[in-house]
Amino acid sequence: MLVEKNSIIITDLSSFDIRQILDCGQIFRYSKMGEGLYRVYSSDKTCMVEQTSEKAVITTDDIEYFYNFFDLDRDYGKIKASLADKPFMKEAIEYGRGIRILNQDKWEMLISFIISANNHIPRIKGIIDRLCKSLGKDMGEYRAFPTAQKMAEQDENFYAAIGAGYRAKYLAETSKAVAQGFDLDEIANLDGMSANKRLCTLMGIGPKVADCILLFAYHRQDVFPVDTWIKKVYKDIVGDGENNNLAIRKKLIATYGEYSGYAQQYLFFNKRDGK
DNA sequence: AACCAGGTGGAGC
DNA sequence: GCTCCACATGGT
């Protein structure tokens, strides 16, 4: 890996595939500009990523931010080796070998995953895009993700108008709570259970959405977001009649251990993108 | 054209 | 503490 003033060049591609990283359901703000060429947005920042069979090049004004964003200090080889002998993992890791779990903005993940509930990924992207276009700071070539203060100024009707459906109320309420002082940074100091519970006090956030936020913004690894896709996987792997999400979560964490968060992402991608 | 989606809130027990 | 159901919308 080579870090320059305005670019990062990655030559070991054994755990870096930009298509997989972006399409594995953890991020909603990016666009494909060409073959192996993507523009990515996070908070009020942006970068370009171009990947060929030989290298991936990240180009941006904020190297420090995107170095951390793409989780470039972490040894994914070690994680994959540790998970390899667990049920269903060999196939899933092989399919999603280039996945990395991004370090995303807390507020952006909070709002994005409220929108994600009972919703299709293509439509989630559309709602978030309209949200940024209407409330995000004008950065010239693009719009930033709107701040909590800006979002708190809008009422439920506004969010309904951009297509949020019945989640409109959740967005209005939770934006107000955060703008009025609900501390997202403090969550990082709590243990897993407490952090999940704390997030669940916000309207529109339940156990699954909380797990997604903890995984994608706080990089908590001892979580296991259970959605419809993971339930399908669970049926394939275990096949007992279990239908309770929290019970499934508990069993899956017991199975996959300290790297549950990564395991979940490989399994999700393999199920949803693979077949 | 139905079905379904990275589920949650709320009512009722 | 559980289970059951309504919920807005539009992509496939």
Side-chain angles (χ1 to χ4, degrees):
Chain A
M1 185 160 46
L2 185 59
V3 181
E4 300 181 331
K5 187 157 180 286
N6 288 309
S7 63
I8 303 167
I9 299 161
I10 299 155
T11 47
D12 176 4
L13 299 176
S14 58
S15 298
F16 191 103
D17 182 318
I18 190 60
R19 208 284 293 178
Q20 294 181 359
I21 290 169
L22 298 176
D23 279 348
C24 74
Q26 60 180 325
I27 178 168
F28 304 106
R29 287 207 300 147
Y30 63 95
S31 41
K32 186 171 182 176
M33 317 294 283
E35 200 48 43
L37 183 64
Y38 297 85
R39 181 164 285 283
V40 180
Y41 306 93
S42 174
S43 188
D44 60 350
K45 304 174 194 315
T46 184
C47 72
M48 287 287 292
V49 184
E50 183 164 25
Q51 182 159 0
T52 64
S53 57
E54 277 142 45
K55 61 181 178 179
V57 182
I58 301 165
T59 310
T60 175
D61 289 338
D62 201 331
I63 288 291
E64 211 174 314
Y65 183 85
F66 283 102
Y67 185 93
N68 175 253
F69 182 83
F70 284 104
D71 206 28
L72 295 177
D73 264 340
R74 201 173 308 271
D75 182 356
Y76 278 75
K78 187 178 121 193
I79 293 166
K80 288 188 272 192
S82 161
L83 285 172
D85 61 338
K86 313 247 183 214
F88 214 69
M89 284 311 296
K90 197 173 174 193
E91 179 188 343
I93 289 174
E94 191 164 328
Y95 186 77
R97 64 176 77 86
I99 289 176
R100 308 180 78 79
I101 300 207
L102 301 171
N103 293 299
Q104 301 191 68
D105 180 72
K106 299 177 178 68
W107 166 246
E108 182 169 345
M109 288 298 95
L110 188 78
I111 293 301
S112 298
F113 278 92
I114 287 175
I115 295 169
S116 80
N118 195 222
N119 211 345
H120 290 275
I121 289 177
R123 185 166 165 247
I124 299 166
K125 287 179 180 161
I127 296 168
I128 294 175
D129 187 51
R130 291 190 289 280
L131 176 63
C132 294
K133 282 203 165 76
S134 52
L135 297 182
K137 184 182 177 193
D138 187 353
M139 304 301 290
E141 302 293 308
Y142 64 99
R143 296 279 182 155
F145 194 87
T147 63
Q149 288 68 30
K150 189 76 182 172
M151 282 190 67
E153 292 170 9
Q154 313 300 323
D155 65 1
E156 177 178 346
N157 296 319
F158 174 86
Y159 297 108
I162 61 169
Y166 64 87
R167 306 162 200 82
K169 184 182 176 186
Y170 307 160
L171 294 176
E173 289 294 315
T174 292
S175 295
K176 261 182 241 168
V178 174
Q180 287 169 8
F182 183 99
D183 192 348
L184 286 176
D185 293 324
E186 191 202 320
I187 302 273
N189 303 324
L190 304 175
D191 65 83
M193 278 290 285
S194 312
N196 190 291
K197 279 188 172 175
R198 178 74 64 85
L199 285 168
C200 286
T201 62
L202 294 168
M203 171 142 287
I205 299 183
K208 187 271 172 184
V209 167
D211 263 2
C212 283
I213 297 165
L214 289 171
L215 180 57
F216 302 135
Y218 295 84
H219 222 96
R220 286 295 174 91
Q221 298 163 31
D222 56 337
V223 298
F224 216 111
V226 176
D227 68 340
T228 53
W229 297 98
I230 289 298
K231 284 182 105 163
K232 288 173 192 172
V233 175
Y234 182 85
K235 239 177 205 173
D236 296 347
I237 304 174
V238 188
D240 60 9
E242 189 57 71
N243 200 38
N244 180 280
N245 286 7
L246 288 164
I248 291 175
R249 177 186 193 275
K250 197 172 172 186
K251 290 182 184 179
L252 288 171
I253 289 178
T255 302
Y256 292 102
E258 58 170 333
Y259 292 135
S260 284
Y262 298 96
Q264 193 272 357
Q265 215 46 63
Y266 292 118
L267 293 172
F268 175 88
F269 183 67
N270 183 239
K271 190 66 183 177
R272 183 173 176 278
D273 192 81
K275 44 195 183 304

